[in-house]
Amino acid sequence: MNDHTAVPRTGLPRRTVLAAAAATAAAAGVIDWAAPGSASAATSAATAGATGSSSLRFAEPGRAVRPKFRWWWPDGLVQPDEIRREIDQIADAGFGGAEIAAVHHSVSDTSSLDTARHGWGTAAWVAGVEAALSQAARRGLTVDLTVGPSWPAAVPGITPDSDAAVKELAHGAATLAPGATFSGPVPKPVHEAASGVTAQRLLLVQAARVNTANSTRKETGLDLDSVRDLTSTVSGGSLDWTAPDDGTWVVISYWVRGSGQTPEAGPHTDPPAYVVDHFSAAGTRAVTDFWEKHILTKSVRRLLKVSGGALFEDSIELETDGLQWTPGLPDAFRDHTGRSLLPLLPALVLDNSNQVYAFEAAVTRQIRHDFWETVSTLFNKHHVTALRTWAHSLGLQLRSQPYGLQTDAIASAAVLDIPEGESLGFKNLDDYRCLAGGRDMAGNTVLSCEAGAYAGGAYSTTWQKFLRTMGGAYAAGVNQTVVHGFSYAEFPGVNWPGYAAFTPYKGVAGYGESWGPRHPTWKHVPDVSGYLGRVHQVLQTGRARADVAVFRQTGYTATGIGASWFTATGITLGWSHQFLSGPLLDLPSAVVRKGRLAPDGPAYKALFVEGDFFYGSTVTLALRDARALLRFSRAGLPIVLLGAWDTVVPPGVPDTGESDELRSVVKELLARPLVRTVTDKTLVGDALTALGVRPDVTYASASTLLNAHRVADGVDYYYLCNGKHAETVKPAVAAIDHEVTLHRTTAKAVPYLLDPWTGKAERVARYTEDGDSVTVRVTLQPAETLIVAISRPGLFGDRNGSRPYAVASEAEEVRFTDAGLTVRATAAGTYRTSLSKGRAVSATLKDIPEPSELTSWKLRVQDWRPGASATRTTVVEHEVTLDALVPWSQIPELADVSGIGRYRTTFTLGRGWTGGHRARLELGSVTDTCRVTVNGHRLDPVDQIHPVVDLGDLLERGTNTIEVEVATPLANRLRISDPAVYGGLTRAAYGLLGPVRLVPYGEARIA
């Protein structure tokens, strides 16, 4: 609800910075540029739009593929009119939807929030949801809804003692000397029950002999064979038992009780909401029953069919001092493994997330594997699948972040309609590749990302940082962003620029951003949303392809643990990979045809298997998975195994004869002709080469280039990004300039460049081809992206299908323009070009001027300041004249200014400049977003990572004017307007920093 009221600037002197001329000086000096004698007058292909249908879809991506916002509400303290207004703001900025989330971490005093009247799920909240859905329907947006307030999934109406509430297994313990007697009440839990928990049930009492040989640095060793069940001897809550005299013993009690967990930063409801049991049908039923009774009015149900998007659940952040539990676990464990869970419990109990006891190391590992595999099965069955089925009945999909516990997130990703990762919690790109494997093996399309949350980044986050973060994530399989986030405008007592869900956070600048009209950059955000939408359009087209499937026995994610050789080396050579876990091998897609695993999906060329990283890299393999691998190999799939596979053991506790049968199957697997075993991870690449496996993307030497490949109707789409595996990796990424060879699915297909900033498609004019591959030159700055489509000629609307193209050239660029095949260079000379039809041509470019730096600028700044209320902004205007570009922080009256700056420079081109001249504008460093106007012509959106724009023929002889509009974050202003929260931020360098260069080039048609 930000209103911007212009206030005349008063008392602020006009300054001349760095020995600038008077403020009224109009122009820089005359630049006398001579025209290149053989330049073509053709309009640059960069300013000519394609007309094909594929190009039109790319240029104007639909709402379904555009980015979304995480939309934070202070529970139900919202007004329908403001909700509709904010939907319009999101739509006008080019976004495709929003996810309503009840979050108010920034509010320390919740007295203004009457949860009985305005809590999550109340009539006021439902009225806000109806307003959002109805306005979204009018604007063509979709609205996602979280399963409960904040996170994890919770609803009011249950107590910590309810069957549906999340449970924990708490333990108590007593140590007995040899022959000593325990007499008295059963040991109490080592931790008190949480507030609100009034009941606990004794599940079991055991005794076990201490075995120091099994002890670790943090765990007390026990002898598994000594475990005794003492439960039947408990009477009236007391135990009387004498330990044998053969060593030290421990008596362990196990108590089942509610964990009492409530959603983050509550209260959100009255009565309080409690987290539900994520591993039982009762827990999920509590969620659906509450929705059916309190939220799903006839109006909401009807609107969900029109503008509903997805039901969303955040990561599984279940917190307890004990072990996650559900009453059905013992029976489920027996069904899953054929054995009792109870004698194994000592190896499982937790104390503040730390293991307490251990048996012999291998057995302990197997027990823990079986336990968490069972928990994964319960989670996927009773929670994920049940919620998905119910969401479908409402016309919604289920989107979720299926990680946070030691469960198989890869398998969960295959169950979900839309798995989601996060840029804050994920440590590197392999975390996304885990979820991508589940998505693609299940035949689904979207991998979402909670994008752009940064600790302490409130009001100082730039869109450039956001784009740098997402560049690599897209290469790892992400193709939808849910931007973190957009806050509802108002809340009682908040400061300018309005309510924000996560700032202040513990008294200082909080997480992420609260994007919206409160930000100066909002004026330019349609350029960013257009870019993101076009990237999503490409990356949601057809099916993803990956070179290699990495089999992971334990399917965790959000761990940062990658794959041997591939993560460190393979990626740098062009290889792509995804992760699979055991349950995915049972999917219908898990077949091999023509040497490809999942041929109708990711079409993996090979399978890579190594030891289990999560259990000391032990060489393990489940018997059912070993049989699947043998089946794949027999069908023609190349397989590479790293490690000593003649010593393979089952990951869980084996049945009688299972270990021998496993080794027999693996022995047969290792004897297959398409199977290679290596013991040195540096030899994995050689093993793949020996098997005839090649990546779809290759280059001569190691590079920071990342890639994602998709195929649709014979068209290969390649997303390329100059990035890195993890943002924290040193050193920083450098610019790259090298050739890249891309596999093509369709013979005689030709490459196109798809510009996600402008939406334009242009056929590549210089490349080579060799059988099923095309080689193009890729030049990218750090974090810059490029999209190449290899398709039949004319698919993107061009008319250059029958024209020759260049296979080599001495010129800096070869382009297809309206005039034909054209060479470009920034220096005069004769340039030889070899054409595809076997002949060579030369072009001479004369009198190309030297580049010129533009240093003198008039700067008019709209200074955004707090207004009459928290949601009103006052704008104060400043004018300065610059002889050199410097950050606002170095200009006294702009040092603490945030807002929008308009830079204007005027220069004269001499008589030598003619209509045939061309130039590009290099902006250098800019903070944050920018737009460019030349002689009154507003240019296409600027690549915010690499701000270089082609001016084409827009410059003319005589006076020319270039304007650069720059918008900044709000942090510099907030440092002084709200110092208690933001005063600790460092003053940032805002504005156009340059150097800004005008670079002329010559152009000549050669074919």
Side-chain angles (χ1 to χ4, degrees):
M1 198 177 140
N2 281 52
D3 296 325
H4 304 286
T5 307
V7 175
R9 178 177 54 84
T10 59
L12 295 174
R14 182 190 297 266
R15 294 187 56 87
T16 302
V17 180
L18 299 177
T24 55
V30 173
I31 305 174
D32 189 6
W33 285 345
S38 58
S40 167
T43 301
S44 167
T47 60
T51 58
S53 59
S54 293
S55 181
L56 291 176
R57 287 195 299 271
F58 175 69
E60 296 295 336
R63 292 286 187 183
V65 299
R66 286 181 172 266
K68 302 173 182 286
F69 270 117
R70 185 150 292 176
W71 190 11
W72 297 305
W73 292 10
D75 296 335
L77 190 58
V78 296
Q79 296 297 321
D81 285 347
E82 175 60 22
I83 289 298
R84 285 187 281 267
R85 173 175 160 143
E86 293 183 13
I87 283 285
D88 285 342
Q89 291 167 350
I90 292 169
D92 291 343
F95 286 77
E99 168 209 309
I100 298 173
V103 177
H104 44 73
H105 285 59
S106 61
V107 180
S108 57
D109 181 5
T110 58
S111 60
S112 298
L113 186 60
D114 181 353
T115 52
R117 295 178 57 202
H118 300 116
W120 178 87
T122 60
W125 186 83
V126 173
V129 170
E130 289 186 358
L133 288 168
S134 61
Q135 191 66 10
R138 296 185 185 96
R139 297 303 305 272
L141 272 62
T142 56
V143 172
D144 297 351
L145 299 169
T146 57
V147 296
S150 195
W151 69 89
V155 289
I158 62 173
T159 72
D161 301 328
S162 300
D163 290 343
V166 63
K167 299 292 186 293
E168 65 179 4
L169 186 69
H171 82 284
T175 302
L176 299 181
T181 297
F182 181 99
S183 182
V186 171
K188 295 179 180 180
V190 295
H191 294 286
E192 293 291 332
S195 175
V197 177
T198 63
Q200 57 184 7
R201 176 177 65 86
L202 181 65
L203 174 70
L204 181 70
V205 180
Q206 292 174 328
R209 184 175 56 246
V210 173
N211 184 344
T212 57
N214 294 337
S215 295
T216 67
R217 186 167 58 89
K218 295 183 178 180
E219 302 165 346
T220 298
L222 301 178
D223 187 343
L224 176 59
D225 292 336
S226 73
V227 175
R228 303 184 182 188
D229 186 346
L230 307 180
T231 312
S232 61
T233 66
V234 175
S235 177
S238 293
L239 171 69
D240 194 340
W241 181 75
T242 301
D245 58 4
D246 56 354
T248 301
W249 285 71
V250 292
V251 173
I252 310 171
S253 58
Y254 303 91
W255 304 83
V256 177
R257 65 191 184 192
S259 73
Q261 185 177 358
T262 58
E264 282 267 343
H268 298 274
T269 61
D270 185 13
Y274 285 95
V275 175
V276 300
D277 183 349
H278 284 53
F279 314 116
S280 73
T284 302
R285 190 163 53 247
V287 173
T288 58
D289 285 352
F290 183 87
W291 277 70
E292 295 283 354
K293 183 176 181 180
H294 298 282
I295 295 175
L296 295 175
T297 64
K298 290 183 178 179
S299 177
V300 169
R301 287 180 182 275
R302 175 180 56 81
L303 288 166
L304 286 176
K305 299 290 185 181
V306 178
S307 54
L311 184 71
F312 172 71
E313 183 173 15
D314 216 312
S315 50
I316 321 166
E317 299 179 30
L318 302 182
E319 299 169 354
T320 170
D321 293 329
L323 178 70
Q324 295 296 336
W325 192 257
T326 189
L329 248 176
D331 289 342
F333 188 88
R334 184 178 291 279
D335 290 343
H336 185 65
T337 66
R339 61 184 64 88
S340 174
L341 171 64
L342 301 184
L344 312 178
L345 282 178
L348 297 168
V349 291
L350 297 174
D351 181 3
N352 282 327
S353 301
N354 296 313
Q355 303 288 164
V356 181
Y357 302 107
F359 301 128
E360 187 272 325
V363 173
T364 300
R365 182 193 70 243
Q366 293 168 336
I367 292 170
R368 292 171 182 172
H369 173 275
D370 286 347
F371 176 81
W372 286 108
E373 192 171 71
T374 304
V375 173
S376 292
T377 301
L378 292 175
F379 174 69
N380 286 333
K381 176 182 178 181
H382 293 306
H383 193 74
V384 179
T385 301
L387 274 180
R388 185 193 63 188
T389 300
W390 179 70
H392 289 182
S393 72
L394 303 174
L396 301 174
Q397 293 182 300
L398 181 62
R399 175 169 58 88
S400 179
Q401 299 175 351
Y403 48 86
L405 297 178
Q406 297 177 61
T407 52
D408 188 346
I410 298 174
S412 297
V415 178
L416 291 163
D417 297 309
I418 305 173
E420 181 170 285
E422 57 181 288
S423 64
L424 178 66
F426 276 18
K427 298 173 178 63
N428 57 42
L429 301 185
D430 276 330
D431 287 338
Y432 296 109
R433 294 186 179 103
C434 290
L435 301 182
R439 172 200 64 184
D440 291 333
M441 286 295 290
N444 293 324
T445 299
V446 177
L447 172 57
S448 184
C449 180
E450 176 188 346
Y454 307 101
Y459 297 116
S460 60
T461 298
T462 64
W463 283 107
Q464 294 160 345
K465 181 174 183 177
F466 179 94
L467 294 169
R468 286 194 297 268
T469 297
M470 293 310 301
Y474 287 134
V478 170
N479 54 11
Q480 173 180 281
T481 49
V482 181
V483 181
H484 188 290
F486 188 109
S487 289
Y488 183 77
E490 301 174 305
F491 191 87
V494 299
N495 295 335
W496 179 81
Y499 167 72
F502 290 100
T503 191
Y505 186 76
K506 297 181 180 179
V508 297
Y511 280 84
E513 274 294 0
S514 290
W515 300 108
R518 68 184 70 187
H519 277 265
T521 58
W522 192 251
K523 184 175 184 180
H524 300 160
V525 162
D527 297 350
V528 178
S529 64
Y531 166 85
L532 296 172
R534 294 182 192 101
V535 171
H536 297 169
Q537 175 74 62
V538 168
L539 295 180
Q540 291 185 33
T541 297
R543 293 291 184 191
R545 293 293 171 89
D547 296 320
V548 175
V550 175
F551 183 72
R552 176 157 277 178
Q553 289 92 334
T554 303
Y556 306 160
T557 194
T559 65
I561 293 177
S564 291
W565 189 80
F566 289 97
T567 295
T569 304
I571 291 172
T572 70
L573 299 176
W575 289 89
S576 61
H577 66 276
Q578 294 179 344
F579 293 89
L580 311 183
S581 64
L584 272 61
L585 305 187
D586 297 326
L587 292 174
S589 63
V591 297
V592 175
R593 188 170 64 247
K594 295 182 179 180
R596 298 292 186 97
L597 174 60
D600 297 325
Y604 306 115
K605 302 173 185 177
L607 184 66
F608 174 69
V609 190
E610 60 183 329
D612 193 336
F613 271 44
F614 299 97
Y615 290 97
S617 293
T618 304
V619 177
T620 63
L621 195 62
L623 178 58
R624 65 180 182 275
D625 297 334
R627 290 169 175 161
L629 266 58
L630 180 59
R631 183 175 71 250
F632 295 158
S633 177
R634 287 171 175 167
L637 179 70
I639 298 176
V640 175
L641 300 102
L642 172 63
W645 285 89
D646 56 337
T647 64
V648 64
V649 295
V653 178
D655 293 332
T656 302
E658 183 179 348
S659 296
D660 291 339
E661 187 174 358
L662 171 64
R663 291 195 178 98
S664 176
V665 173
V666 170
K667 182 178 180 180
E668 184 178 354
L669 175 69
L670 298 178
R672 299 292 306 171
L674 289 178
V675 175
R676 296 289 187 274
T677 304
V678 295
T679 55
D680 185 342
K681 64 183 178 182
T682 63
L683 300 178
V684 171
D686 294 337
L688 290 167
T689 299
L691 289 167
V693 181
R694 302 287 187 276
D696 283 344
V697 180
T698 58
Y699 18 91
S701 59
S703 171
T704 51
L705 189 65
L706 303 169
N707 76 82
H709 180 199
R710 296 188 74 91
V711 177
D713 299 323
V715 181
D716 293 275
Y717 294 92
Y718 288 95
Y719 167 89
L720 307 175
C721 175
N722 182 17
K724 53 187 174 182
H725 181 61
E727 289 191 66
T728 56
V729 171
K730 304 293 183 184
V733 172
I736 60 173
D737 185 353
H738 59 75
E739 290 190 334
V740 177
T741 299
L742 308 172
H743 172 79
R744 60 181 174 186
T745 303
T746 301
K748 298 183 180 180
V750 299
Y752 290 84
L753 290 181
L754 307 185
D755 186 339
W757 285 103
T758 66
K760 293 173 181 175
E762 176 184 344
R763 184 176 168 186
V764 176
R766 178 170 60 188
Y767 63 95
T768 59
E769 55 185 354
D770 182 10
D772 62 357
S773 68
V774 170
T775 299
V776 298
R777 177 183 172 187
V778 173
T779 303
L780 293 173
Q781 294 296 312
E784 190 180 4
T785 61
L786 183 70
I787 297 175
V788 179
I790 306 176
S791 72
R792 60 174 176 81
L795 181 64
F796 290 94
D798 70 297
R799 298 184 177 88
N800 298 303
S802 61
R803 289 176 174 167
Y805 58 90
V807 296
S809 181
E810 297 171 347
E812 295 167 24
E813 287 187 273
V814 185
R815 304 284 288 269
F816 278 118
T817 71
D818 286 351
L821 190 65
T822 303
V823 293
R824 291 178 177 177
T826 57
T830 298
Y831 297 92
R832 183 178 175 84
T833 300
S834 298
L835 301 181
S836 57
K837 295 188 177 180
R839 66 188 181 95
V841 295
S842 296
T844 300
L845 305 177
K846 298 178 180 179
D847 303 322
I848 301 174
E850 292 294 324
S852 175
E853 185 173 348
L854 304 179
T855 58
S856 298
W857 299 81
K858 274 187 170 182
L859 172 59
R860 299 185 65 181
V861 175
Q862 293 181 342
D863 175 2
W864 287 31
R865 301 182 178 189
S869 70
T871 58
R872 289 183 178 271
T873 296
T874 296
V875 176
V876 175
E877 295 186 353
H878 307 269
E879 291 186 10
V880 295
T881 299
L882 306 173
D883 269 355
L885 290 170
V886 293
W888 294 4
S889 56
Q890 296 180 21
I891 304 172
E893 65 262 47
L894 302 182
D896 294 308
V897 167
S898 296
I900 299 173
R902 293 180 176 87
Y903 292 79
R904 187 174 186 270
T905 188
T906 303
F907 55 89
T908 301
L909 297 175
R911 289 175 296 175
W913 187 268
T914 70
H917 285 85
R918 301 286 187 271
R920 66 173 182 261
L921 182 68
E922 299 175 354
L923 295 181
S925 178
V926 187
T927 303
D928 175 29
T929 58
C930 64
R931 285 177 174 169
V932 177
T933 300
V934 177
N935 292 334
H937 297 274
R938 178 173 158 181
L939 301 187
D940 288 331
V942 179
D943 184 335
Q944 303 296 327
I945 293 294
H946 184 44
V948 175
V949 293
D950 192 345
L951 305 185
D953 58 359
L954 292 177
L955 296 180
E956 55 194 27
R957 185 168 57 194
T959 301
N960 291 268
T961 300
I962 293 178
E963 295 179 342
V964 182
E965 183 178 75
V966 179
T968 78
L970 282 177
N972 279 4
R973 173 54 62 193
L974 284 166
R975 288 177 67 251
I976 58 172
S977 69
D978 195 354
V981 176
Y982 302 99
L985 297 178
T986 301
R987 182 184 284 161
Y990 290 163
L992 177 62
L993 312 183
V996 178
R997 299 199 321 148
L998 203 59
V999 182
Y1001 61 83
E1003 183 176 87
R1005 181 180 182 275
I1006 58 173

